[in-house]
Amino acid sequence: MFLSIRAEASESGDRSPWGNFWFEPVPARVGGPITSESALQLTAVYACVRVLAEGVSTLPFMLYREGEDGAKERMRDHGLYRLFARRPNKFQNPMEFREMMQGHLALRGNAYAHIVTSRRGDVTDLIPMHPDRTTIEMLSDTNWRFRYRQLDGTELVLTRGEVFHLRGLSGDGVCGYSPIQCARKALSAGIAAQDYGMRFFLNDARPPGWIEYPGQFKDDEQRRLFRDRYQEQQSGMNRHKVAIFDLGMKFHEVKVSNDDAQFIETRKFSISEIARLFRVPPHMIGDLERATFSNIEQQALEYVTNTLRPWLVRWEEAIRYTFLEEDTDLNVEFPVTALLRGDAQARSTYYHNGILDGWMTRNEARVMESLNPLDGLDEPLRPLNMVEESEAEDLPDQTGQQPNEPPATEPPDQVKPDPDARLVALSTATAARVTRKEITSLQRLVGEGWQEKVAAFYDKHAAFVAAALNVPREWADNYCAAQLRYMVDNNPEFSELEALTASRLERLALWGKV
């Protein structure tokens, strides 16, 4: 049975006692054992694992405190941020750690890290544990522990709270399925096709032929001797030399090509199978056979939403479950907007639309581009006329109509009102709106260092007053100066200031209308 192994398993095929056949490893047959390491022989598997690992590891890690209104306050002085964004352990940086963990997760369906704590209970390091040397021992239906075989041969027994465990699709909720083992037959076929191609081209890209001899060899020994001498003259350094036959011999080449054996099609199908296994777009692993300019962009979007996002959510949920309390207001996230880092046009469009639509401030865009914030760029713009929202609430539109004010209509068959009376009413209404806005803004500014804040407010408020009341800027500057002097002298009294503000603004508005 042992001697029935095919000679093609060895490059030489020499089974003599001095041949290399007996010292070479027995190749795996189709359907045989396939491990995670042996699967990496296929470039498509390596490329898929690399795409997933690099996609997860290159995204920034964000730890934030979530407010009741949904606001996110970033936390950079927390121990969890240090672990995943700065130094997970003493021999790896964050990218290397996450890249290795995601590689384990994609290949084996599980990734483990030993949680090392200080005497006070603070997590100081995350030490990776190789999945091939980690086993799960069930203690009950809902409890288990981990056994890790270290390189020195000793075994480390760890409880659930001492291991950061990332698991993929699981059948029992404890251990994830290994994609390689689930698809071992498909991968075995791919490896077999790859090995066949290697042997095919090692044989000078030619299938074997046969020699026609019109006579007859005396015995098997003479036939073997002729074959060995011919192979010796046409192999190694003698390859491609002209062969000379005598005694009426003829060489016949076997007409079997790669196309006849469907070799190329088999290799292409193997790539598609592996891309489907890891749900990676084929163009990301170098398969551009069916790629076009239009569908590559769509596939890139699907990679983020359908391929990368589930892995990121798996990471985020595992971190929350392992390191954060149930009732905490802290949360973690891997922002995918960092994927636009290499696309200047996409980033520009993203910022442009966000700023013009009012859901992003100019300083937020500057921070995302690693630029320092600038004073005065923290307020969103109003989409209509690109002024800051606080200054646009009460601006009249192009027809002179105030916002949220019903259009003035003249009832039929009635006497038109006095134009002067309408002018006074319009000026008074405008002054009242500006007054309410000014008092509300001042009330928010009162506190420590309020005088500098109020002075800066009135410097900007003068332009708004001039535009709202349609008066010269000099008048508006004088008004704001008088308001500021009153604030400083009275330290401030808003009840009296509101009445004084309304009176001054009404006079200012009437002066501008007359």
Side-chain angles (χ1 to χ4, degrees):
M1 178 178 178
F2 181 69
L3 295 178
S4 65
I5 300 176
R6 295 175 55 193
E8 286 78 7
S10 171
E11 293 184 9
S12 62
D14 185 359
R15 300 193 187 190
S16 62
W18 53 85
N20 293 329
F21 174 80
W22 309 106
F23 302 96
E24 294 179 352
V26 178
R29 294 170 181 253
V30 176
I34 296 292
T35 66
S36 300
E37 299 298 333
S38 63
L40 291 176
Q41 298 178 47
L42 294 170
T43 57
V45 173
Y46 180 81
C48 287
V49 174
R50 182 179 177 184
V51 165
L52 296 176
E54 292 179 350
V56 172
S57 63
T58 54
L59 292 179
F61 174 78
M62 185 172 72
L63 175 67
Y64 60 90
R65 189 182 303 278
E66 193 169 4
E68 296 181 357
D69 58 351
K72 298 179 180 180
E73 178 189 357
R74 296 203 175 196
M75 308 289 293
R76 299 180 183 274
D77 56 350
H78 196 278
L80 187 59
Y81 180 82
R82 182 191 65 81
L83 277 177
F84 286 94
R86 292 185 178 174
R87 188 62 61 86
N89 51 58
K90 297 178 181 177
F91 60 92
Q92 285 180 307
N93 59 46
M95 178 185 174
E96 293 172 344
F97 173 77
R98 278 190 274 158
E99 184 180 39
M100 185 193 64
M101 293 285 286
Q102 180 59 36
H104 288 169
L105 185 58
L107 272 176
R108 298 168 173 86
N110 295 277
Y112 309 94
H114 180 201
I115 302 175
V116 180
T117 59
S118 64
R119 294 181 178 179
R120 297 186 303 175
D122 299 330
V123 180
T124 59
D125 294 277
L126 292 175
I127 308 299
M129 301 162 53
H130 200 286
D132 292 348
R133 291 185 275 118
T134 303
T135 57
I136 298 178
E137 181 182 0
M138 299 299 299
L139 303 178
S140 66
D141 290 342
T142 57
N143 192 24
W144 58 89
R145 63 184 180 183
F146 300 88
R147 290 184 175 274
Y148 180 59
R149 188 177 71 258
Q150 303 183 91
L151 293 177
D152 59 2
T154 59
E155 188 176 64
L156 189 63
V157 180
L158 302 171
T159 63
R160 289 175 55 187
E162 295 177 297
V163 176
F164 173 53
H165 183 192
L166 289 163
R167 66 176 66 89
L169 178 64
S170 175
D172 56 5
V174 178
C175 187
Y177 289 128
S178 170
I180 303 302
Q181 296 304 317
C182 291
R184 60 183 179 274
K185 291 188 177 180
L187 296 176
S188 295
I191 292 177
Q194 181 171 272
D195 291 344
Y196 167 77
M198 180 183 67
R199 293 194 304 270
F200 187 87
F201 287 102
L202 282 176
N203 195 30
D204 209 16
R206 291 175 179 268
W210 57 282
I211 298 175
E212 178 184 357
Y213 179 47
Q216 185 177 4
F217 291 104
K218 294 181 180 180
D219 49 28
D220 292 340
E221 179 65 20
Q222 187 180 10
R223 181 185 294 107
R224 184 189 63 79
L225 181 61
F226 170 77
R227 182 189 61 190
D228 292 345
R229 287 183 176 178
Y230 175 76
Q231 290 179 348
E232 182 181 353
Q233 292 174 1
Q234 297 298 317
S235 61
M237 298 296 295
N238 298 321
R239 183 170 295 182
H240 302 298
K241 289 186 177 181
V242 178
I244 299 177
F245 299 96
D246 54 5
L247 301 178
M249 295 181 182
K250 297 180 181 179
F251 179 80
H252 298 271
E253 182 179 359
V254 178
K255 300 295 184 180
V256 178
S257 64
N258 267 355
D259 291 336
D260 296 333
Q262 297 292 314
F263 171 70
I264 296 178
E265 286 74 9
T266 301
R267 294 297 304 275
K268 290 180 180 178
F269 180 74
S270 176
I271 294 175
S272 300
E273 283 266 289
I274 294 170
R276 180 163 53 247
L277 172 64
F278 291 97
R279 198 159 62 176
V280 171
H283 77 275
M284 299 193 72
I285 59 174
D287 183 10
L288 302 178
E289 182 181 6
R290 299 181 181 178
T292 64
F293 288 106
S294 58
N295 67 13
I296 276 187
E297 182 179 3
Q298 183 61 33
Q299 289 182 47
L301 295 176
E302 292 178 355
Y303 163 72
V304 177
T305 56
N306 299 334
T307 302
L308 193 58
R309 184 176 176 272
W311 290 111
L312 296 177
V313 173
R314 199 180 301 276
W315 272 82
E316 293 164 357
E317 295 297 337
I319 293 173
R320 292 191 198 102
Y321 181 82
T322 306
F323 299 102
L324 298 178
E325 300 292 337
E326 266 186 80
D327 55 351
T328 184
D329 55 355
L330 295 179
N331 208 341
V332 299
E333 184 180 344
F334 294 95
V336 295
T337 52
L339 295 175
L340 300 176
R341 185 174 178 180
D343 191 341
Q345 182 177 0
R347 292 201 320 274
S348 176
T349 303
Y350 177 76
Y351 300 145
H352 180 77
N353 293 338
I355 292 173
L356 292 189
D357 292 341
W359 53 266
M360 176 184 286
T361 67
R362 289 157 288 179
N363 268 340
E364 287 174 341
R366 290 182 61 85
V367 170
M368 293 178 69
E369 284 295 299
S370 301
L371 300 174
N372 294 329
L374 298 178
D375 295 336
L377 301 183
D378 289 319
E379 200 165 358
L381 298 181
R382 189 184 190 191
L384 179 61
N385 50 11
M386 295 304 112
V387 297
E388 291 186 353
E389 185 64 32
S390 60
E391 296 184 357
E393 295 173 355
D394 304 312
L395 281 179
D397 57 21
Q398 297 178 354
T399 63
Q401 192 71 28
Q402 295 293 329
N404 302 322
E405 182 178 334
T409 59
E410 298 180 358
D413 302 329
Q414 292 187 10
V415 180
K416 294 183 179 181
D418 184 4
D420 294 338
R422 293 184 60 190
L423 179 62
V424 171
L426 180 60
S427 302
T428 303
T430 304
R433 290 191 179 92
V434 177
T435 299
R436 289 194 299 271
K437 170 180 169 49
E438 183 176 340
I439 295 301
T440 302
S441 300
L442 290 174
Q443 289 174 340
R444 291 199 300 262
L445 296 177
V446 172
E448 184 178 355
W450 67 270
Q451 295 185 1
E452 292 78 6
K453 297 178 182 178
V454 170
F457 165 75
Y458 275 117
D459 286 342
K460 190 167 59 173
H461 188 56
F464 172 70
V465 172
L469 302 181
N470 194 22
V471 298
R473 177 60 184 267
E474 182 181 359
W475 295 6
D477 290 336
N478 293 336
Y479 160 78
C480 290
Q483 291 289 95
L484 181 60
R485 284 196 300 271
Y486 180 86
M487 290 281 293
V488 174
D489 294 342
N490 292 274
N491 260 341
E493 294 292 340
F494 288 108
S495 57
E496 298 179 4
L497 178 64
E498 185 169 1
L500 179 62
T501 299
S503 175
R504 286 178 175 173
L505 285 173
E506 288 175 9
R507 291 197 303 271
L508 194 63
L510 290 175
W511 291 340
K513 302 296 182 183
V514 175

